[in-house]
Amino acid sequence: MSEEKRPAPGVRRLIQNYISFVGLVIAFTSLACIFLLIIIDLTRETENPYFGIVTYVLLPGALIFGLLVVIVGMIRERRRRRLDPDSELSPYPKIDFNDSRQRRIAAVMLISTFLFVSMSAFGSYQAYHYTESVEFCGKACHSVMSPEFTAFQVSPHAKTRCVDCHVGSGAQWYARSKLAGTRQLIALMTGSFSRPIPTPVHNLRPADQTCGHCHWSEKFHGAKLKTFNHYAYDEQNTHRQIRMLISVGGGNPNTGPVSGIHWHMNTANEIDFISTDEQRQAIPWIRVKDRQGNVTEYYDRNRPLAADQIESASKRRMDCVDCHNRPTHIYVPPDAAVNQSFAAGRLDPSLPYLKRESLATLTRQYNTTPEAVSNIASHLDQFYKTNYSDVYSSKNSSIKSAITEIQRIFQTYTFPEMKTDWQTHPNNIGHFYFNGCFRCHDGEHVSKTGKIVRNDCNLCHTVLSDSAAPRPTVNTESFKHPVDLGALADRKCESCHKANAPFQHPINLGDISAFQCVECHARE
């Protein structure tokens, strides 16, 4: 045997090393788990965000890694045998299909390769679709995306997939989104992500390529009736209802009238602006080009920009999301959320001071959600137990329901762990809590010819009735505040109803600063 050439070791002999053995264990374990999870996936009824990641992303990766380890072990074993002076190995394996054993090995390899490629293709397909799903976007990184996902579930677009707005169709935007996703994954793994997640999304594709697939920007909608329900902070939680006609408008000059708020989005008009902050709340310069081609530039006389600043600044073409900037992830202010619950019958207005006490506990600073949930329960329970013992005994079920509802409101719109709430994400629809429309329509943006971007209330809406008025009739004048503000009557809504800071009264109240609002603003 010493004078004869030793036969070249087969694949089975080359696998016989510790490295390849470890690779085989990894590969076969991953393969068995994949088969088992695929069967479970086809038969289960509930969705689990981690299931798809493990089945179609992590385990296939482990399978491929195991096979690579096997190959590395075989290469090392072959190299070791070739360095053996008593061993004569050819540089490459000798394949002879006349040998029945080699034919069997080749058939097994072809079938295994076919099965592996098919499984990889199926896994890739499933992985692609899973990474496009709402469950992946909202739940897979639940500690980070919990605010966005929770608010999304109660939004007008809850049945729309995240990727329909954040990615849209086309390979270019898909590739860009996955690259951005890689950066986000790194931030998640290193814990370097922002708290809260910043908005707006500056690399979001134009609205006409996403919103425009469902919403017809050239449609004339006319005016729409909107009903606002407000509940006072007094003992009776006094209800006030305002019915308002919103001049939505819109339209296409080629097919009909053009008017109202959606005039801004008419395809024949072009509006560009400069914002000086990340959230696009400060807009010192506007350029309007109408359908006749006339161009007018407006400058904020309180915050003027120099000519070189305007020239060098980044300009944005106005689209849907500049006003509808919270179309889905809406963090409703506590005041508005409690009003909605009263109007929907989820809160009992006969419980004394329920509006005031709900806001008192909802607007406190909490470090964690469990702390907030516990405080809400103890605060409301103790308030009625101490101050209204008769109500506490006769309406205990209503009090418990109120506690549950206020806890739901907090958990839906406030997230202490991510430092996210209604104050961190301005909503530009309207102008009650934020500047909104008044970012431009503040009466301070003036052109060189003296033309002003007006802040006339009736430009956008008309008050049809107000239950607080003696005779509810159509009000063609500007909106009138229910409390006589005196010298403060020219203030904008958000100057008192503002966010991002604890409420501060516009007048120095001195010794009476601790008073409740209703003690001065009592209803007559």
Side-chain angles (χ1 to χ4, degrees):
M1 187 70 178
S2 59
E3 296 179 359
E4 297 179 358
K5 292 184 179 180
R6 292 184 180 182
V11 172
R12 187 172 62 182
R13 293 182 62 191
L14 290 178
I15 289 177
Q16 293 174 357
N17 62 86
Y18 289 114
I19 295 177
S20 295
F21 179 73
V22 171
L24 284 173
V25 171
I26 295 173
F28 280 115
T29 302
S30 302
L31 188 62
C33 291
I34 290 172
F35 275 121
L36 176 62
L37 292 180
I38 288 176
I39 293 172
I40 296 175
D41 188 30
L42 295 175
T43 56
R44 67 195 177 103
E45 296 180 356
T46 58
E47 292 290 337
N48 186 310
Y50 299 105
F51 202 94
I53 295 178
V54 172
T55 307
Y56 303 115
V57 179
L58 297 183
L59 286 177
L63 174 60
I64 294 173
F65 173 76
L67 294 177
L68 290 176
V69 171
V70 171
I71 294 173
V72 169
M74 293 175 66
I75 293 174
R76 287 174 58 88
E77 178 66 14
R78 182 177 177 83
R79 182 178 299 172
R80 186 187 69 80
R81 290 174 180 268
R82 288 193 65 191
L83 294 177
D84 185 352
D86 296 331
S87 174
E88 293 187 13
L89 294 176
S90 57
Y92 299 98
K94 296 179 179 180
I95 300 174
D96 184 5
F97 287 121
N98 293 312
D99 185 346
S100 61
R101 182 171 176 274
Q102 291 197 30
R103 287 200 303 272
R104 288 195 300 271
I105 293 174
V108 171
M109 292 293 293
L110 286 174
I111 294 173
S112 301
T113 302
F114 174 77
L115 292 175
F116 178 74
V117 171
S118 299
M119 287 183 58
S120 299
F122 176 75
S124 301
Y125 175 81
Q126 290 293 97
Y128 166 79
H129 280 283
Y130 184 71
T131 58
E132 299 281 282
S133 69
V134 173
E135 287 75 18
F136 177 82
C137 298
K139 293 182 180 179
C141 303
H142 61 88
S143 62
V144 179
M145 300 306 295
S146 178
E148 285 73 18
F149 181 68
T150 304
F152 161 79
Q153 290 178 297
V154 293
S155 76
H157 294 88
K159 298 299 182 181
T160 304
R161 298 185 309 161
C162 307
V163 294
D164 291 335
C165 295
H166 285 274
V167 181
S169 60
Q172 175 188 355
W173 287 95
Y174 176 79
R176 291 176 61 174
S177 71
K178 295 310 174 187
L179 288 174
T182 303
R183 294 194 299 270
Q184 293 160 5
L185 179 60
I186 294 173
L188 175 64
M189 295 175 64
T190 59
S192 59
F193 53 87
S194 299
R195 298 173 178 86
I197 300 297
T199 58
V201 181
H202 288 276
N203 62 348
L204 197 67
R205 70 190 305 169
D208 60 345
Q209 299 178 23
T210 51
C211 310
H213 288 172
C214 298
H215 299 278
W216 188 6
S217 60
E218 298 181 17
K219 172 70 175 176
F220 181 74
H221 298 279
K224 300 296 180 183
L225 178 65
K226 179 77 172 179
T227 301
F228 298 90
N229 290 289
H230 299 277
Y231 291 81
Y233 294 86
D234 57 13
E235 188 175 25
Q236 294 76 30
N237 306 298
T238 305
H239 179 212
R240 180 190 180 201
Q241 186 178 87
I242 299 174
R243 298 172 70 247
M244 193 175 289
L245 204 60
I246 309 296
S247 302
V248 177
N252 186 333
N254 298 322
T255 59
V258 177
S259 65
I261 300 168
H262 280 175
W263 170 91
H264 298 82
M265 288 313 301
N266 180 264
T267 54
N269 301 316
E270 295 179 4
I271 301 175
D272 298 283
F273 65 88
I274 295 173
S275 58
T276 54
D277 67 314
E278 287 296 315
Q279 292 188 314
R280 299 171 184 160
Q281 297 299 295
I283 301 178
W285 178 89
I286 310 165
R287 179 174 60 205
V288 179
K289 180 180 178 181
D290 63 23
R291 59 178 178 269
Q292 285 81 30
N294 301 315
V295 177
T296 307
E297 294 185 7
Y298 297 89
Y299 307 84
D300 187 340
R301 49 191 169 194
N302 296 322
R303 296 171 294 181
L305 294 179
D308 59 332
Q309 290 178 305
I310 296 174
E311 181 67 26
S312 61
S314 175
K315 300 172 181 65
R316 173 174 169 81
R317 174 65 50 82
M318 183 178 181
D319 68 11
C320 307
V321 297
D322 289 306
C323 292
H324 298 275
N325 67 316
R326 311 303 311 166
T328 298
H329 310 293
I330 307 171
Y331 304 105
V332 180
D335 178 70
V338 172
N339 284 337
Q340 291 172 6
S341 294
F342 270 120
R346 293 191 294 268
L347 291 176
D348 184 356
S350 69
L351 293 177
Y353 288 115
L354 179 55
K355 173 70 179 291
R356 186 188 73 181
E357 296 306 312
S358 296
L359 267 292
T361 188
L362 280 171
T363 54
R364 287 178 184 168
Q365 297 296 315
Y366 301 103
N367 294 318
T368 64
T369 298
E371 177 191 351
V373 170
S374 175
N375 184 271
I376 290 169
S378 61
H379 176 91
L380 292 178
D381 185 83
Q382 191 63 32
F383 173 79
Y384 289 106
K385 187 176 183 179
T386 303
N387 299 285
Y388 295 91
S389 57
D390 55 336
V391 173
Y392 186 79
S393 59
S394 63
K395 289 184 171 289
N396 193 261
S397 60
S398 295
I399 294 172
K400 289 182 178 178
S401 296
I403 291 173
T404 300
E405 177 63 11
I406 300 304
Q407 289 173 332
R408 183 199 66 81
I409 290 174
F410 186 92
Q411 292 173 293
T412 304
Y413 303 120
T414 307
F415 305 87
E417 294 83 357
M418 284 298 296
K419 300 179 181 179
T420 299
D421 61 16
W422 69 282
Q423 300 177 82
T424 59
H425 292 75
N427 191 334
N428 293 330
I429 290 294
H431 47 74
F432 193 72
Y433 298 102
F434 297 94
N435 277 332
C437 310
F438 289 154
R439 293 177 299 159
C440 300
H441 287 271
D442 57 354
E444 301 296 338
H445 286 74
V446 185
S447 71
K448 292 181 179 179
T449 60
K451 193 175 179 180
I452 298 176
V453 180
R454 296 183 294 160
N455 63 344
D456 180 2
C457 297
N458 288 320
L459 281 175
C460 299
H461 49 66
T462 302
V463 177
L464 298 179
S465 66
D466 184 345
S467 63
R471 293 181 180 178
T473 56
V474 175
N475 177 15
T476 57
E477 302 177 0
S478 297
F479 173 76
K480 294 182 180 179
H481 199 278
V483 175
D484 184 4
L485 299 177
L488 303 175
D490 61 342
R491 292 285 186 95
K492 295 183 176 64
C493 306
E494 89 284 348
S495 63
C496 294
H497 299 277
K498 62 185 176 182
N500 298 316
F503 173 75
Q504 295 179 350
H505 201 281
I507 298 175
N508 184 5
L509 299 180
D511 295 336
I512 64 170
S513 60
F515 281 22
Q516 297 291 339
C517 306
V518 294
E519 297 183 52
C520 297
H521 298 284
R523 295 179 57 87
E524 298 180 356

